[in-house]
């Protein structure tokens, strides 16, 4: 089955620790995205990537970092600089960053800072 | 930045009734999309309507777009308990944000059996 796999589903972190969320897709999509979702709010874009070895900041990139070394993979690191990291993180992909851009989402990773 | 604002924030109906959710946005768009999210899960794409379209149907879903009022509505007819979920509108902006989607805050729909 083609799709997006996010891991882990649940993650607990102590303050001051970096954590990395995994996102893998087998859809052969060029574009990948990371969104953050807080309770009662919509999705906010953290980072996105159109092609391998290239990525751009979204609306709330501070305290996060990404890499795109392979087309299939777009891991997100939540650094200790992120002041309020507890949230639901969603990875998505699309064929390309072009008009009529329909996103396919993973099941999400829930990060809790203890 | 949030582009779409949805109304109502929550909607509770009985099975068989119709559910209508509204989305307003601020800037010009290339298209508007609706997504569904079951609790604690990822989003699933439902339907896309382009800026030059006024109405679109997909099964029990009907979407309208009024670019003069910068608003869209999603109608789910003959609702079922399985339709219980959060529904989000997302706008694809033009210009330098080409291709990027901006999501609204969502409407929580509860359908009672």
């Amino acid at each position: 089955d083609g799709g997006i796999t996010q891991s882990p589903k649940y993650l607990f972190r102590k303050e001051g620790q970096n954590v990395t969320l995994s996102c893998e897709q087998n859809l052969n999509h060029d574009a990948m995205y990371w969104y953050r979702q807080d309770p009662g709010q919509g999705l906010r874009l953290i980072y996105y990537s159109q092609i391998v070895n290239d990525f751009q900041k979204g609306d709330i990139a501070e305290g996060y970092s990404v890499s795109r070394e392979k087309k299939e993979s777009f891991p997100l690191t939540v650094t200790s600089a992120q002041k309020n990291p507890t949230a639901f993180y969603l990875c998505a992909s699309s064929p390309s960053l072009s008009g009529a851009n329909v996103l396919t989402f993973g099941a999400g990773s829930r990060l809790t800072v203890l | 930045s949030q582009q779409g604002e949805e109304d109502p924030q929550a909607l509770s109906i009985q099975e068989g009734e119709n559910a209508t959710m509204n989305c307003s946005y601020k800037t010009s768009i290339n298209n508007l999309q609706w997504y569904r999210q079951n609790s604690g899960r990822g989003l699933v794409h439902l339907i896309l309507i382009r800026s030059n379209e006024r109405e679109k149907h997909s099964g029990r879903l009907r979407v309208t777009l009024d670019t003069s009022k910068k608003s869209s509505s999603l109608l789910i007819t003959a609702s079922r308990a399985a339709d219980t979920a959060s529904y989000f509108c997302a706008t694809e902006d033009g210009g330098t944000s080409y291709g990027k989607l901006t999501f609204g805050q969502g409407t929580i729909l509860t359908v009672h059996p």
Side-chain angles (χ1 to χ4, degrees), chain A residues 9 33 35 37 40-45 48 57 59 88 90 97-103 105-108 110, chain B residues 1-2 30-31 33 35 37 40-45 48 50 88 92 96 98-106:
Chain A
K9 189 170 176 62
Y33 313 80
Y35 286 90
Q37 186 177 29
Q41 296 191 34
L43 280 64
R44 291 184 288 169
L45 183 63
Y48 65 102
K57 292 181 179 180
D59 299 318
F88 190 51
L90 287 158
L97 197 78
S98 63
N101 196 26
V102 173
L103 271 57
F105 282 85
R110 188 169 298 279
Chain B
S1 60
Q2 296 283 339
N30 291 323
N31 63 72
Q33 303 177 33
Y35 288 79
Q37 182 182 36
R41 305 287 296 174
L43 279 70
V44 175
H45 178 259
L48 178 151
R50 299 176 190 272
F88 294 88
E92 183 179 312
T96 57
Y98 189 65
K100 288 165 54 183
L101 292 185
T102 304
F103 286 81
Q105 295 183 335

Short mmCIF file of all heavy atoms in Angstrom, two decimals, chain A residues 9 33 35 37 40-45 48 57 59 88 90 97-103 105-108 110, chain B residues 1-2 30-31 33 35 37 40-45 48 50 88 92 96 98-106:
data_model
loop_
_atom_site.label_atom_id
_atom_site.label_comp_id
_atom_site.label_asym_id
_atom_site.label_seq_id
_atom_site.Cartn_x
_atom_site.Cartn_y
_atom_site.Cartn_z
N LYS A 9 4.46 7.03 17.06
CA LYS A 9 3.11 7.60 17.18
C LYS A 9 3.00 8.48 18.42
O LYS A 9 2.33 9.51 18.41
CB LYS A 9 2.08 6.48 17.24
CG LYS A 9 0.65 6.95 17.15
CD LYS A 9 -0.30 5.78 16.97
CE LYS A 9 -1.75 6.24 16.97
NZ LYS A 9 -2.03 7.16 15.83
N TYR A 33 5.99 17.94 3.58
CA TYR A 33 5.64 19.03 4.49
C TYR A 33 5.58 18.53 5.93
O TYR A 33 5.25 17.37 6.17
CB TYR A 33 4.24 19.59 4.15
CG TYR A 33 3.99 19.86 2.70
CD1 TYR A 33 3.66 18.80 1.84
CD2 TYR A 33 4.04 21.14 2.18
CE1 TYR A 33 3.42 19.04 0.49
CE2 TYR A 33 3.79 21.38 0.84
CZ TYR A 33 3.48 20.33 0.01
OH TYR A 33 3.24 20.56 -1.33
N TYR A 35 3.57 19.82 9.45
CA TYR A 35 2.61 20.72 10.07
C TYR A 35 2.56 20.43 11.57
O TYR A 35 2.75 19.30 12.01
CB TYR A 35 1.20 20.53 9.50
CG TYR A 35 0.99 21.09 8.12
CD1 TYR A 35 1.23 20.31 7.00
CD2 TYR A 35 0.54 22.40 7.94
CE1 TYR A 35 1.02 20.81 5.72
CE2 TYR A 35 0.33 22.91 6.67
CZ TYR A 35 0.57 22.11 5.57
OH TYR A 35 0.36 22.62 4.31
N GLN A 37 -0.14 20.79 14.87
CA GLN A 37 -1.54 21.01 15.23
C GLN A 37 -1.66 21.08 16.74
O GLN A 37 -1.26 20.17 17.46
CB GLN A 37 -2.42 19.89 14.68
CG GLN A 37 -3.91 20.14 14.89
CD GLN A 37 -4.77 19.05 14.28
OE1 GLN A 37 -4.37 17.90 14.16
NE2 GLN A 37 -5.97 19.42 13.86
N GLY A 40 -7.78 22.66 19.21
CA GLY A 40 -8.68 23.75 18.83
C GLY A 40 -8.14 24.66 17.76
O GLY A 40 -8.75 25.69 17.45
N GLN A 41 -7.01 24.30 17.20
CA GLN A 41 -6.42 25.14 16.15
C GLN A 41 -6.25 24.34 14.87
O GLN A 41 -6.26 23.11 14.87
CB GLN A 41 -5.07 25.69 16.60
CG GLN A 41 -5.15 26.62 17.79
CD GLN A 41 -3.85 27.35 18.02
OE1 GLN A 41 -3.14 27.68 17.07
NE2 GLN A 41 -3.53 27.61 19.27
N GLY A 42 -6.07 25.07 13.79
CA GLY A 42 -5.79 24.41 12.52
C GLY A 42 -4.34 24.01 12.44
O GLY A 42 -3.60 24.04 13.42
N LEU A 43 -3.93 23.61 11.26
CA LEU A 43 -2.56 23.18 11.04
C LEU A 43 -1.69 24.39 10.69
O LEU A 43 -2.11 25.25 9.91
CB LEU A 43 -2.50 22.17 9.88
CG LEU A 43 -2.88 20.74 10.19
CD1 LEU A 43 -4.32 20.59 10.61
CD2 LEU A 43 -2.58 19.85 8.99
N ARG A 44 -0.50 24.41 11.25
CA ARG A 44 0.46 25.47 10.92
C ARG A 44 1.70 24.85 10.29
O ARG A 44 2.24 23.87 10.80
CB ARG A 44 0.81 26.27 12.17
CG ARG A 44 -0.35 27.11 12.70
CD ARG A 44 0.07 27.95 13.89
NE ARG A 44 0.29 27.13 15.07
CZ ARG A 44 0.87 27.59 16.20
NH1 ARG A 44 1.28 28.83 16.26
NH2 ARG A 44 1.02 26.79 17.23
N LEU A 45 2.16 25.43 9.21
CA LEU A 45 3.27 24.88 8.44
C LEU A 45 4.60 25.17 9.09
O LEU A 45 4.92 26.34 9.38
CB LEU A 45 3.23 25.45 7.02
CG LEU A 45 4.26 24.93 6.03
CD1 LEU A 45 4.07 23.44 5.79
CD2 LEU A 45 4.16 25.70 4.72
N TYR A 48 8.78 22.88 4.58
CA TYR A 48 8.40 22.11 3.42
C TYR A 48 9.58 21.97 2.48
O TYR A 48 10.52 22.75 2.53
CB TYR A 48 7.18 22.70 2.70
CG TYR A 48 7.39 24.06 2.10
CD1 TYR A 48 7.60 24.21 0.74
CD2 TYR A 48 7.35 25.21 2.89
CE1 TYR A 48 7.77 25.46 0.17
CE2 TYR A 48 7.53 26.46 2.34
CZ TYR A 48 7.72 26.59 0.98
OH TYR A 48 7.90 27.84 0.42
N LYS A 57 11.54 27.32 5.06
CA LYS A 57 10.82 27.54 6.31
C LYS A 57 9.36 27.85 6.02
O LYS A 57 9.03 28.53 5.04
CB LYS A 57 11.44 28.72 7.07
CG LYS A 57 12.83 28.45 7.59
CD LYS A 57 13.36 29.66 8.35
CE LYS A 57 14.76 29.37 8.89
NZ LYS A 57 15.30 30.54 9.64
N ASP A 59 5.64 28.84 8.37
CA ASP A 59 5.23 29.96 9.21
C ASP A 59 5.78 29.91 10.64
O ASP A 59 5.85 30.93 11.31
CB ASP A 59 3.69 30.01 9.28
CG ASP A 59 3.08 30.21 7.90
OD1 ASP A 59 3.61 31.02 7.13
OD2 ASP A 59 2.07 29.52 7.60
N PHE A 88 0.68 17.89 18.29
CA PHE A 88 0.48 16.80 17.34
C PHE A 88 1.15 17.22 16.03
O PHE A 88 0.86 18.28 15.51
CB PHE A 88 -1.03 16.57 17.16
CG PHE A 88 -1.39 15.34 16.40
CD1 PHE A 88 -0.87 14.10 16.75
CD2 PHE A 88 -2.30 15.40 15.36
CE1 PHE A 88 -1.24 12.94 16.06
CE2 PHE A 88 -2.67 14.25 14.66
CZ PHE A 88 -2.13 13.02 15.02
N LEU A 90 2.13 16.51 12.08
CA LEU A 90 1.64 15.82 10.89
C LEU A 90 2.59 16.03 9.72
O LEU A 90 2.97 17.16 9.40
CB LEU A 90 0.25 16.33 10.51
CG LEU A 90 -0.87 15.87 11.44
CD1 LEU A 90 -2.06 16.81 11.34
CD2 LEU A 90 -1.29 14.45 11.09
N LEU A 97 4.94 20.83 -5.79
CA LEU A 97 4.42 22.08 -5.24
C LEU A 97 3.89 22.88 -6.42
O LEU A 97 4.55 23.76 -6.95
CB LEU A 97 5.52 22.83 -4.51
CG LEU A 97 5.05 23.92 -3.55
CD1 LEU A 97 4.55 23.27 -2.26
CD2 LEU A 97 6.17 24.88 -3.23
N SER A 98 2.69 22.56 -6.83
CA SER A 98 2.15 23.23 -8.00
C SER A 98 0.67 23.45 -7.79
O SER A 98 0.12 23.12 -6.75
CB SER A 98 2.40 22.39 -9.25
OG SER A 98 1.71 21.16 -9.13
N GLY A 99 0.02 23.98 -8.78
CA GLY A 99 -1.40 24.25 -8.66
C GLY A 99 -2.21 22.99 -8.40
O GLY A 99 -1.82 21.90 -8.79
N ALA A 100 -3.34 23.16 -7.74
CA ALA A 100 -4.20 22.03 -7.36
C ALA A 100 -3.40 21.01 -6.56
O ALA A 100 -3.39 19.82 -6.86
CB ALA A 100 -4.83 21.39 -8.59
N ASN A 101 -2.76 21.49 -5.54
CA ASN A 101 -1.83 20.70 -4.75
C ASN A 101 -2.58 19.95 -3.66
O ASN A 101 -2.91 20.51 -2.63
CB ASN A 101 -0.79 21.65 -4.14
CG ASN A 101 0.42 20.96 -3.62
OD1 ASN A 101 0.75 19.88 -4.08
ND2 ASN A 101 1.09 21.57 -2.67
N VAL A 102 -2.87 18.68 -3.87
CA VAL A 102 -3.59 17.86 -2.90
C VAL A 102 -2.60 17.11 -2.04
O VAL A 102 -1.69 16.44 -2.55
CB VAL A 102 -4.53 16.87 -3.62
CG1 VAL A 102 -5.16 15.91 -2.62
CG2 VAL A 102 -5.62 17.64 -4.37
N LEU A 103 -2.77 17.22 -0.72
CA LEU A 103 -1.84 16.60 0.22
C LEU A 103 -2.34 15.25 0.70
O LEU A 103 -3.53 15.06 0.95
CB LEU A 103 -1.65 17.51 1.43
CG LEU A 103 -0.54 18.56 1.36
CD1 LEU A 103 -0.70 19.47 0.17
CD2 LEU A 103 -0.46 19.34 2.65
N PHE A 105 -1.64 12.80 3.94
CA PHE A 105 -1.10 12.93 5.29
C PHE A 105 -0.74 11.58 5.90
O PHE A 105 -1.37 10.55 5.59
CB PHE A 105 -2.12 13.61 6.21
CG PHE A 105 -2.19 15.09 6.02
CD1 PHE A 105 -3.00 15.64 5.04
CD2 PHE A 105 -1.46 15.95 6.84
CE1 PHE A 105 -3.07 17.02 4.87
CE2 PHE A 105 -1.53 17.32 6.67
CZ PHE A 105 -2.33 17.86 5.69
N GLY A 106 0.25 11.61 6.80
CA GLY A 106 0.51 10.48 7.67
C GLY A 106 -0.45 10.50 8.85
O GLY A 106 -1.29 11.40 8.98
N ALA A 107 -0.31 9.52 9.73
CA ALA A 107 -1.23 9.37 10.87
C ALA A 107 -0.86 10.27 12.04
O ALA A 107 -1.62 10.38 13.01
CB ALA A 107 -1.29 7.92 11.32
N GLY A 108 0.31 10.90 11.99
CA GLY A 108 0.68 11.86 13.02
C GLY A 108 1.55 11.28 14.12
O GLY A 108 1.58 10.08 14.36
N ARG A 110 2.43 12.29 18.22
CA ARG A 110 2.07 13.17 19.35
C ARG A 110 3.26 13.28 20.28
O ARG A 110 3.69 12.28 20.87
CB ARG A 110 0.85 12.63 20.09
CG ARG A 110 0.33 13.62 21.14
CD ARG A 110 -1.02 13.20 21.68
NE ARG A 110 -2.06 13.15 20.65
CZ ARG A 110 -2.73 14.21 20.20
NH1 ARG A 110 -2.46 15.42 20.65
NH2 ARG A 110 -3.67 14.05 19.28
N SER B 1 0.48 31.93 9.13
CA SER B 1 -0.71 32.77 9.30
C SER B 1 -1.94 31.96 8.92
O SER B 1 -1.88 31.11 8.03
CB SER B 1 -0.61 34.00 8.45
OG SER B 1 -0.50 33.66 7.09
N GLN B 2 -3.04 32.20 9.60
CA GLN B 2 -4.27 31.49 9.32
C GLN B 2 -5.02 32.24 8.23
O GLN B 2 -5.27 33.42 8.34
CB GLN B 2 -5.12 31.41 10.60
CG GLN B 2 -4.46 30.61 11.71
CD GLN B 2 -4.57 29.11 11.45
OE1 GLN B 2 -5.41 28.67 10.73
NE2 GLN B 2 -3.68 28.34 12.06
N ASN B 30 -6.00 30.23 -5.49
CA ASN B 30 -6.06 29.41 -6.70
C ASN B 30 -7.15 28.35 -6.58
O ASN B 30 -7.83 28.02 -7.54
CB ASN B 30 -4.72 28.72 -6.95
CG ASN B 30 -3.64 29.70 -7.34
OD1 ASN B 30 -3.91 30.67 -8.04
ND2 ASN B 30 -2.43 29.47 -6.87
N ASN B 31 -7.26 27.78 -5.39
CA ASN B 31 -8.30 26.80 -5.14
C ASN B 31 -8.53 26.67 -3.65
O ASN B 31 -7.74 27.19 -2.84
CB ASN B 31 -7.94 25.42 -5.75
CG ASN B 31 -6.71 24.82 -5.13
OD1 ASN B 31 -6.73 24.38 -3.98
ND2 ASN B 31 -5.61 24.80 -5.87
N GLN B 33 -9.75 23.70 -0.68
CA GLN B 33 -9.92 22.26 -0.47
C GLN B 33 -10.56 22.01 0.89
O GLN B 33 -10.44 22.82 1.80
CB GLN B 33 -8.56 21.56 -0.53
CG GLN B 33 -7.81 21.80 -1.82
CD GLN B 33 -6.45 21.16 -1.83
OE1 GLN B 33 -6.23 20.10 -1.24
NE2 GLN B 33 -5.50 21.79 -2.52
N TYR B 35 -10.76 19.00 3.92
CA TYR B 35 -10.17 17.79 4.47
C TYR B 35 -10.96 17.35 5.69
O TYR B 35 -11.57 18.17 6.38
CB TYR B 35 -8.71 18.03 4.89
CG TYR B 35 -7.73 18.19 3.75
CD1 TYR B 35 -7.62 19.39 3.06
CD2 TYR B 35 -6.89 17.14 3.37
CE1 TYR B 35 -6.72 19.54 2.02
CE2 TYR B 35 -5.99 17.28 2.33
CZ TYR B 35 -5.92 18.48 1.66
OH TYR B 35 -5.02 18.63 0.62
N GLN B 37 -10.67 14.98 9.36
CA GLN B 37 -9.74 14.39 10.32
C GLN B 37 -10.53 13.65 11.38
O GLN B 37 -11.28 14.29 12.13
CB GLN B 37 -8.85 15.44 10.96
CG GLN B 37 -7.83 14.87 11.93
CD GLN B 37 -6.98 15.93 12.59
OE1 GLN B 37 -7.45 17.02 12.90
NE2 GLN B 37 -5.70 15.63 12.83
N GLY B 40 -7.44 12.18 16.48
CA GLY B 40 -6.10 11.62 16.68
C GLY B 40 -5.47 11.02 15.46
O GLY B 40 -4.47 10.31 15.57
N ARG B 41 -6.01 11.32 14.28
CA ARG B 41 -5.49 10.75 13.04
C ARG B 41 -5.04 11.86 12.09
O ARG B 41 -5.18 13.05 12.38
CB ARG B 41 -6.58 9.92 12.35
CG ARG B 41 -7.19 8.85 13.22
CD ARG B 41 -6.22 7.71 13.43
NE ARG B 41 -5.92 7.02 12.17
CZ ARG B 41 -5.01 6.06 12.05
NH1 ARG B 41 -4.31 5.70 13.10
NH2 ARG B 41 -4.80 5.48 10.89
N GLY B 42 -4.50 11.44 10.95
CA GLY B 42 -4.12 12.40 9.93
C GLY B 42 -5.33 12.90 9.16
O GLY B 42 -6.44 12.42 9.35
N LEU B 43 -5.09 13.87 8.29
CA LEU B 43 -6.18 14.43 7.49
C LEU B 43 -6.33 13.65 6.20
O LEU B 43 -5.35 13.14 5.64
CB LEU B 43 -5.90 15.90 7.17
CG LEU B 43 -6.23 16.92 8.25
CD1 LEU B 43 -5.30 16.83 9.43
CD2 LEU B 43 -6.21 18.34 7.66
N VAL B 44 -7.56 13.62 5.71
CA VAL B 44 -7.87 12.96 4.45
C VAL B 44 -8.52 13.98 3.52
O VAL B 44 -9.46 14.67 3.92
CB VAL B 44 -8.81 11.75 4.67
CG1 VAL B 44 -9.21 11.15 3.33
CG2 VAL B 44 -8.13 10.71 5.54
N HIS B 45 -8.04 14.07 2.30
CA HIS B 45 -8.58 15.01 1.33
C HIS B 45 -9.98 14.57 0.89
O HIS B 45 -10.22 13.39 0.59
CB HIS B 45 -7.66 15.09 0.12
CG HIS B 45 -8.16 16.00 -0.95
ND1 HIS B 45 -8.78 15.56 -2.09
CD2 HIS B 45 -8.15 17.35 -1.03
CE1 HIS B 45 -9.11 16.59 -2.83
NE2 HIS B 45 -8.73 17.69 -2.21
N LEU B 48 -11.72 19.30 -3.89
CA LEU B 48 -11.03 20.53 -4.28
C LEU B 48 -11.93 21.30 -5.23
O LEU B 48 -12.52 20.71 -6.15
CB LEU B 48 -9.70 20.18 -4.96
CG LEU B 48 -8.82 21.32 -5.49
CD1 LEU B 48 -7.35 20.90 -5.46
CD2 LEU B 48 -9.21 21.77 -6.89
N ARG B 50 -11.79 24.80 -7.68
CA ARG B 50 -10.91 25.82 -8.22
C ARG B 50 -11.57 27.19 -8.15
O ARG B 50 -12.80 27.29 -8.05
CB ARG B 50 -10.53 25.48 -9.66
CG ARG B 50 -9.79 24.16 -9.79
CD ARG B 50 -9.51 23.81 -11.23
NE ARG B 50 -9.02 22.45 -11.36
CZ ARG B 50 -7.75 22.09 -11.27
NH1 ARG B 50 -6.82 23.03 -11.07
NH2 ARG B 50 -7.38 20.84 -11.39
N PHE B 88 -11.79 20.52 7.87
CA PHE B 88 -10.94 21.70 7.68
C PHE B 88 -11.02 22.18 6.24
O PHE B 88 -10.98 21.37 5.31
CB PHE B 88 -9.48 21.36 8.00
CG PHE B 88 -9.22 21.02 9.42
CD1 PHE B 88 -9.34 19.72 9.88
CD2 PHE B 88 -8.84 22.01 10.32
CE1 PHE B 88 -9.09 19.39 11.21
CE2 PHE B 88 -8.59 21.70 11.65
CZ PHE B 88 -8.72 20.40 12.09
N GLU B 92 -5.29 27.35 -1.20
CA GLU B 92 -4.01 27.41 -1.91
C GLU B 92 -3.90 28.81 -2.48
O GLU B 92 -4.67 29.20 -3.36
CB GLU B 92 -3.94 26.36 -3.01
CG GLU B 92 -2.59 26.36 -3.71
CD GLU B 92 -2.50 25.29 -4.78
OE1 GLU B 92 -2.86 24.14 -4.51
OE2 GLU B 92 -2.07 25.63 -5.89
N THR B 96 3.58 34.41 -4.19
CA THR B 96 4.77 33.75 -3.64
C THR B 96 4.43 32.53 -2.82
O THR B 96 5.31 31.72 -2.51
CB THR B 96 5.57 34.73 -2.77
OG1 THR B 96 4.71 35.22 -1.73
CG2 THR B 96 6.08 35.91 -3.58
N TYR B 98 2.50 30.19 -3.83
CA TYR B 98 1.94 29.24 -4.80
C TYR B 98 2.19 27.80 -4.39
O TYR B 98 3.32 27.41 -4.12
CB TYR B 98 2.58 29.50 -6.16
CG TYR B 98 1.94 28.72 -7.29
CD1 TYR B 98 0.64 28.98 -7.67
CD2 TYR B 98 2.66 27.74 -7.95
CE1 TYR B 98 0.06 28.27 -8.71
CE2 TYR B 98 2.08 27.04 -8.99
CZ TYR B 98 0.78 27.31 -9.37
OH TYR B 98 0.21 26.60 -10.40
N GLY B 99 1.12 27.04 -4.36
CA GLY B 99 1.23 25.63 -4.03
C GLY B 99 1.12 25.32 -2.55
O GLY B 99 0.84 24.19 -2.18
N LYS B 100 1.34 26.30 -1.68
CA LYS B 100 1.25 26.03 -0.26
C LYS B 100 -0.19 26.15 0.21
O LYS B 100 -0.93 27.00 -0.24
CB LYS B 100 2.12 27.03 0.52
CG LYS B 100 3.60 26.80 0.38
CD LYS B 100 4.40 27.99 0.86
CE LYS B 100 4.05 28.39 2.26
NZ LYS B 100 4.77 29.60 2.69
N LEU B 101 -0.56 25.27 1.13
CA LEU B 101 -1.91 25.29 1.69
C LEU B 101 -1.91 25.94 3.06
O LEU B 101 -1.01 25.70 3.87
CB LEU B 101 -2.45 23.87 1.82
CG LEU B 101 -2.75 23.10 0.53
CD1 LEU B 101 -3.38 21.77 0.86
CD2 LEU B 101 -3.65 23.92 -0.37
N THR B 102 -2.93 26.74 3.32
CA THR B 102 -3.15 27.34 4.64
C THR B 102 -4.49 26.83 5.16
O THR B 102 -5.51 26.96 4.49
CB THR B 102 -3.16 28.87 4.54
OG1 THR B 102 -1.95 29.31 3.94
CG2 THR B 102 -3.28 29.48 5.92
N PHE B 103 -4.46 26.26 6.36
CA PHE B 103 -5.63 25.59 6.91
C PHE B 103 -6.39 26.48 7.87
O PHE B 103 -5.82 27.28 8.61
CB PHE B 103 -5.21 24.31 7.64
CG PHE B 103 -4.81 23.20 6.73
CD1 PHE B 103 -3.54 23.17 6.18
CD2 PHE B 103 -5.70 22.19 6.41
CE1 PHE B 103 -3.16 22.15 5.31
CE2 PHE B 103 -5.33 21.17 5.55
CZ PHE B 103 -4.06 21.14 5.00
N GLY B 104 -7.72 26.28 7.91
CA GLY B 104 -8.55 26.92 8.90
C GLY B 104 -8.51 26.14 10.21
O GLY B 104 -7.82 25.13 10.33
N GLN B 105 -9.27 26.61 11.19
CA GLN B 105 -9.24 26.01 12.52
C GLN B 105 -10.15 24.80 12.64
O GLN B 105 -10.06 24.07 13.62
CB GLN B 105 -9.63 27.06 13.57
CG GLN B 105 -8.61 28.19 13.67
CD GLN B 105 -8.96 29.18 14.76
OE1 GLN B 105 -10.12 29.32 15.13
NE2 GLN B 105 -7.96 29.89 15.25
N GLY B 106 -11.02 24.60 11.68
CA GLY B 106 -11.81 23.39 11.65
C GLY B 106 -13.17 23.50 12.31
O GLY B 106 -13.40 24.34 13.19
#
